[in-house]
Amino acid sequence: MFKFLEEKFVPVASRIGSQRHLVAIRDGFIAIMPLTIVGSLAVLINNLPIDFYQNALNSIWADGSWKQWGGNVWGATFAILSLLLAFTISYNLAKSYDKDGLSAAVIGLSAYMTFGTFGEGGLTGLTTGTGGIFVAIIVSLLSTELFCRLSGNSKLLIKMPEGVPPAVAKSFAALLPAIITIGLFGLVRTIISLGFDVPDIIGSFYATIQEPFMGLTNSWTAALILAFIPAFLWTLGVHGANIIDPFMQTINADAIAKNVAALEAGNAAPYIVNKPFFDAFVNMGGSGTTIALIIAIFIIARKNKQYSTVGKLSAAPGLFNINEPLLFGLPIVLNPILLIPFILTPMVNVSIAYFATKWGMVPAATVVAPWTTPPIINGFLVTQSWKGAVLSLVLIVVAVLIYLPFIAMANRVTKPNPTEQAADGE
């Protein structure tokens, strides 16, 4: 099976993964990865679910002002994630065409901003933060494609005399393509806003998809899809969790509120699948339930230097559901062996958790805990029951059992042969 995957699937996946637009998206996410990790740590510091920790700091700063540092860091990272992605994706796509990446990045960001919500309150958090990611990706790709084609037209090139600094010459070379690109996106925004009475395009976009997504949250099939998409995208090197997150957020608030209302009325919670459900029972350690992968490495691949080193470095972040070091360090991306359990495990876990909730064995998720909350603790918090913690533990065990044979196989594949070991010794 592994030979088949290596010979048939990996070449196809490599071609897909090397497609310039996917590469631009992947590299755009990688460029801001340090910021997402820093932002995650800020969320963790502000919301660490330890009563002693929270009470101790609240006793010193009763007004909660101690959280300002974390809030400021979050505001400089997650709160502007869509803006950063519009810039980095445009930059990387333009560079793949050997065009002026910096000009394209500035224009891509500007084109995305034409879709922002302006008014007395300025930009909204939905536009600048994670909620705008999907629209930012589409706009940055389209605007950069248009800019790159226009910048290749000699009729639109403003040539500066010799002796003009290169930076100034580049700016003028990009002037007419920039005017056309940004003007066109501004026109599209105007037509949509006035012609269809949609003042907030990004907000309306998610409002439009919210209703069908809300209808899917009772479906096991939808749960499988939501488990599959981010894991599959990650195997191509694309940040699947961030791409799917805006869609999860559109269903989350209403699903939680309606669950709470139903339980208070003595009825069963109507919505099983929501973001806390995924955080507690599927994304333990990050996408792919990679807390189990780290455990499997410690069990069976301790003597593999590469796996052991990456596992140790990933253990602390993984405890708080940050797994980028693991994904790119082993790697899991385009790995013909590890991509199988990475995709399979969340689908198995979401199925077990879904039916355990549906059959009343575990309460539905009704509390939103920070996504950086460690596994097992998260299961207890979101369900407000020890049963949720037990389910999380059981799912980790199941995930470890799934990962173990694949780690064993990967360990044998990467283990140096005796000749290589002798050469290293010399």
Side-chain angles (χ1 to χ4, degrees):
M1 180 177 64
F2 294 120
K3 185 178 180 181
F4 170 80
L5 287 170
E6 191 167 359
E7 292 179 352
K8 303 297 183 182
F9 175 78
V10 171
V12 175
S14 296
R15 285 195 293 272
I16 295 173
S18 61
Q19 199 276 333
R20 71 170 73 241
H21 298 91
L22 287 178
V23 170
I25 296 171
R26 180 197 66 197
D27 292 347
F29 275 108
I30 291 175
I32 64 172
M33 183 173 65
L35 298 183
T36 61
I37 293 176
V38 171
S40 301
L41 294 175
V43 172
L44 174 65
I45 290 171
N46 273 18
N47 300 281
L48 191 66
I50 300 175
D51 290 339
F52 172 77
Y53 168 83
Q54 295 285 340
N55 293 336
L57 291 176
N58 285 332
S59 66
I60 301 173
W61 293 281
D63 60 352
S65 59
W66 65 273
K67 293 188 175 183
Q68 286 186 8
W69 177 85
N72 291 336
V73 173
W74 183 88
T77 53
F78 281 108
I80 59 170
L81 208 61
S82 294
L83 304 182
L84 294 172
L85 281 174
F87 187 93
T88 57
I89 292 173
S90 296
Y91 176 87
N92 284 292
L93 181 58
K95 294 295 286 184
S96 73
Y97 285 114
D98 293 324
K99 300 295 184 180
D100 183 2
L102 185 57
S103 294
V106 172
I107 293 166
L109 174 59
S110 181
Y112 172 65
M113 293 288 279
T114 63
F115 283 78
T117 303
F118 292 90
E120 295 181 1
L123 288 169
T124 66
L126 181 64
T127 301
T128 60
T130 56
I133 285 177
F134 188 79
V135 177
I137 290 173
I138 299 301
V139 172
S140 61
L141 293 176
L142 292 176
S143 64
T144 305
E145 282 288 339
L146 178 59
F147 169 75
C148 288
R149 281 160 173 70
L150 293 174
S151 61
N153 190 330
S154 59
K155 296 180 181 179
L156 298 176
L157 177 64
I158 299 177
K159 294 184 178 180
M160 301 299 291
E162 294 183 7
V164 174
V168 176
K170 281 186 176 182
S171 295
F172 275 90
L175 179 58
L176 292 179
I179 291 173
I180 296 173
T181 301
I182 298 172
L184 182 59
F185 276 86
L187 177 62
V188 172
R189 161 67 192 265
T190 302
I191 293 173
I192 294 174
S193 297
L194 299 180
F196 298 92
D197 192 24
V198 182
D200 181 358
I201 291 179
I202 296 176
S204 298
F205 171 78
Y206 287 112
T208 300
I209 66 173
Q210 183 176 23
E211 195 62 34
F213 262 70
M214 285 293 293
L216 290 174
T217 51
N218 255 355
S219 165
W220 174 49
T221 302
L224 287 174
I225 294 172
L226 291 172
F228 170 79
I229 291 175
F232 175 72
L233 291 176
W234 262 125
T235 63
L236 299 177
V238 179
H239 201 306
N242 274 350
I243 289 179
I244 201 71
D245 184 67
F247 297 97
M248 294 295 296
Q249 295 291 354
T250 61
I251 66 174
N252 196 50
D254 282 353
I256 294 294
K258 290 179 179 179
N259 278 355
V260 171
L263 292 174
E264 289 177 348
N267 301 320
Y271 294 108
I272 295 175
V273 181
N274 48 42
K275 192 173 186 300
F277 171 87
F278 266 84
D279 289 342
F281 303 128
V282 181
N283 298 328
M284 294 177 286
S287 298
T289 320
T290 46
I291 191 69
L293 175 55
I294 295 172
I295 296 171
I297 289 173
F298 289 153
I299 292 173
I300 206 169
R302 296 189 304 275
K303 295 182 179 180
N304 184 310
K305 187 175 181 180
Q306 176 191 350
Y307 278 31
S308 177
T309 301
V310 174
K312 290 176 182 177
L313 292 173
S314 304
L319 188 61
F320 301 104
N321 308 316
I322 300 168
N323 66 350
E324 281 87 348
L326 194 67
L327 294 170
F328 294 102
L330 287 179
I332 293 174
V333 174
L334 291 179
N335 187 316
I337 298 176
L338 293 183
L339 66 83
I340 300 173
F342 185 76
I343 294 175
L344 178 63
T345 300
M347 298 182 71
V348 171
N349 278 2
V350 81
S351 300
I352 295 173
Y354 178 87
F355 288 107
T357 306
K358 185 177 180 66
W359 296 335
M361 299 168 65
V362 177
T366 56
V367 175
V368 180
W371 64 269
T372 51
T373 303
I376 301 177
I377 297 174
N378 204 343
F380 171 78
L381 292 176
V382 303
T383 61
Q384 296 292 285
S385 170
W386 61 268
K387 295 178 181 180
V390 171
L391 177 59
S392 295
L393 179 59
V394 169
L395 293 175
I396 290 175
V397 173
V398 170
V400 170
L401 294 175
I402 294 174
Y403 272 112
L404 277 174
F406 293 93
I407 285 293
M409 173 66 71
N411 187 40
R412 286 196 294 272
V413 170
T414 60
K415 188 176 181 180
N417 60 46
T419 303
E420 291 173 334
Q421 287 179 330
D424 290 341
E426 294 175 2

